Structures are given as structure tokens and as C-alpha cells.
Amino acid sequence: MTASRSPAAGTLLALASALAFSSLAVWGKLAQQLHLPTYTLLPWRFALVALVLFGSGAARGPFTRRDRWVMVANGGLYTLATTCYFLALARISAGATGLLLYLAPAFVVLYVWLLGRRPHGAQLVAVALTAIGLGLVVGLPGAGDRDVLGLGFGVLTGALYGAYLLFSERYLHYPPLAATAWLTFSSAIGFGVMGALTGTLGVPAGAAAWGVVAATALFPTLLAVPLLFMAIRRIGAARTSVLATTEPLWTVLLAFLVLDEPLRASTLAGGALILAGALLAQRAPPGEQKSEVEITPPAGL
């Protein structure tokens, strides 16, 4: 895709997209304060997005039945990753949860290695950086980050999201909004089933609860995704993905401003190393063509 001649606009759009994605952790914490169950919030979040996208015709396309099943299956993987994200969010701070999500690029490197493709030196250094960053986040926890299970769910979120990114390479040729429509459709069903099994599926009660549901549907989903595509059109995928790595820093800042979560030096230092690893994992060694699997930082849950 050829980049447009408006790099400044593309940069602003990419940063706005990262900011919109990062708001999910804050909305999740506000949902907890309103006693809005996760498996009430998430089915409605994805159902509203799917309704808008299917209603607008975005899901239409020359898809085979197999194409649809591939997109629905990937939605199931996304559902598992999002579940772990919210389980982590319930036990540790929003900032630490957002930072641990950025272990995903390192897990992609590991999966590619296990599939028989040896990673190059830059990717191995990236894994080391993210491991050290994780050690800083976990090894020097604050008052809100002492829960081992919560930290484990945070790491598992990165592992599952890395698998989701790798699997997503299967349908890069699908229209992005169509893939998003089928993904949200699958996620709405998956979270609805989980809510029914746990007895927590219900209808949000009150304007505040519906406001949080609408915000999670709007900002980290309907708003963030189109902004991301608009940025790619203007400055290309590579530069956009680099700017997307500011997302956890926005999460920490929003958590500080909205939720009064402290800005700990160890969290910031660990987060910087995790982000450095995410960036380094994208680099191909000199003289080699780009890998068949692009190690792309996650763009929100």
C-alpha cells in the first residue's frame, strides 16, 4: 500500500488509535467499580460492534464458508486472550496489565522458533529485553501488583495474543472491517456462552453501566480500528506499528490520571524494556528479506 503525502496526519491518527485502544483497561476498572460483571460487559461490547458492522454491510464479501469459519475461529482465540486480560485486570493494576500484554511479540518469536524457523539475533535480543522488562514489573511489585495469579493471567494474555497475531496472518487478504465484523460476532457468542455458564450474563443496569459498555464498544473497537487503518494509508504499516507501541504508555498515563494509580519507577522501566523488545522483534537482519511472519506489536484488545 502506498503511503499518502500527509505523514503528520498519519502520525496523529496512529497515536490517536493507540490512545483509543489503551482506554480499555480504564473502562474495565470502571466496570469493576460499578459491579458490572465481565461476562455482561464483554458480550454486549462485541454484540454492539458486530451489529453496527453487519448492519452497515461491512461484513459482506466474496467469502467461502471456510473463510468465515477461519475468521470465527480466530475470534475464539481472541476471546480467550481477552478473558485472560480481564482476569488479570481484576487482580493487578491497569498499567501492569497493559504492559504485560506487550509480551506478545516475544511469544510470536518463540512460536516461530518452535515451528522450525530459527529467529535471527535481533529477535533473540528482543526476547531477552522483554524477559528483563517482565522481571522488573513482576520482581518489584507495587501494592496493587502482588497477586501472582493476576500476573500469570497477564503473561498468559501476551501468550494467547501472540498466537492470535500469528494465526491472523491466515486472513490478511480479507477486508479488515469484514474480519473485524466476524471476529466481534464470534467473540459476542463466546463471551455470551461464558456468561451463561458462570451465571453472570445479564443486561447492564443503569445509565452508568450502559455508558461503560458503549465506551468499550466505541473507543477501543469502533474508533481505534478505523483510525489505525487510516494511519496505515498515510504512513504505511511499519511506521504505524511502531507508533502503536505507545499504547501501554497511554494505559499507564490514563490509569494515573483517571484511576489514581501510581507511576512506579519499576513499572515504567520494565515497560520501556518490553516496548524496546517489541520494536526490536520487528527488525530483519541486514541483507535478508522480511520474514514470512511479520512480528507486529498488538493493537489492543
Side-chain angles (χ1 to χ4, degrees):
M1 182 181 296
T2 303
S4 162
R5 296 180 181 176
S6 52
T11 298
L12 291 175
L13 287 167
L15 291 174
S17 174
L19 176 59
F21 275 129
S22 73
S23 68
L24 179 60
V26 174
W27 301 122
K29 284 293 186 183
L30 292 176
Q32 292 171 13
Q33 294 174 12
L34 292 170
H35 305 290
L36 178 62
T38 297
Y39 292 134
T40 293
L41 169 65
L42 294 180
W44 283 102
R45 170 200 176 188
F46 289 109
L48 288 177
V49 175
L51 183 64
V52 169
L53 292 176
F54 276 93
S56 67
R60 296 174 186 169
F63 303 129
T64 65
R65 180 176 297 180
R66 182 181 179 279
D67 290 335
R68 293 189 177 92
W69 276 114
V70 168
M71 289 187 283
V72 168
N74 204 39
L77 191 55
Y78 183 89
T79 299
L80 289 176
T82 306
T83 297
C84 289
Y85 180 87
F86 274 85
L87 288 173
L89 195 62
R91 293 175 175 271
I92 59 177
S93 68
T97 302
L99 290 170
L100 290 174
L101 169 63
Y102 267 69
L103 288 170
F107 276 107
V108 175
V109 173
L110 176 61
Y111 298 150
V112 168
W113 197 349
L114 293 175
L115 289 172
R117 196 178 321 146
R118 183 173 180 145
H120 54 73
Q123 289 177 325
L124 293 177
V125 173
V127 173
L129 285 174
T130 52
I132 295 170
L134 175 61
L136 286 174
V137 174
V138 175
L140 298 172
D145 296 326
R146 299 182 187 275
D147 192 295
V148 175
L149 190 58
L151 293 168
F153 279 126
V155 174
L156 187 56
T157 300
L160 288 170
Y161 200 64
Y164 160 77
L165 289 173
L166 200 59
F167 190 77
S168 295
E169 296 288 338
R170 286 174 164 267
Y171 66 90
L172 285 178
H173 60 285
Y174 300 154
L177 287 180
T180 301
W182 285 98
L183 182 146
T184 53
F185 170 76
S186 174
S187 296
I189 293 176
F191 285 121
V193 170
M194 289 183 183
L197 291 175
T198 58
T200 57
L201 178 63
V203 178
W210 274 110
V212 170
V213 171
T216 60
L218 176 61
F219 292 102
T221 315
L222 276 176
L223 182 61
V225 173
L227 284 173
L228 188 69
F229 296 150
M230 291 166 66
I232 291 172
R233 260 189 213 103
R234 287 166 172 76
I235 60 176
R239 288 179 63 188
T240 300
S241 69
V242 170
L243 292 168
T245 61
T246 62
E247 181 189 333
L249 301 181
W250 291 120
T251 299
V252 171
L253 181 59
L254 285 175
F256 171 71
L257 294 175
V258 179
L259 303 175
D260 293 324
E261 290 187 0
L263 286 174
R264 296 187 292 111
S266 60
T267 298
L268 293 175
L273 288 173
I274 291 172
L275 296 183
L279 288 172
L280 190 58
Q282 297 180 86
R283 295 185 57 187
E288 284 191 17
Q289 292 184 343
K290 194 172 184 179
S291 170
E292 178 182 328
V293 177
E294 181 177 356
I295 310 303
T296 308
L301 288 170

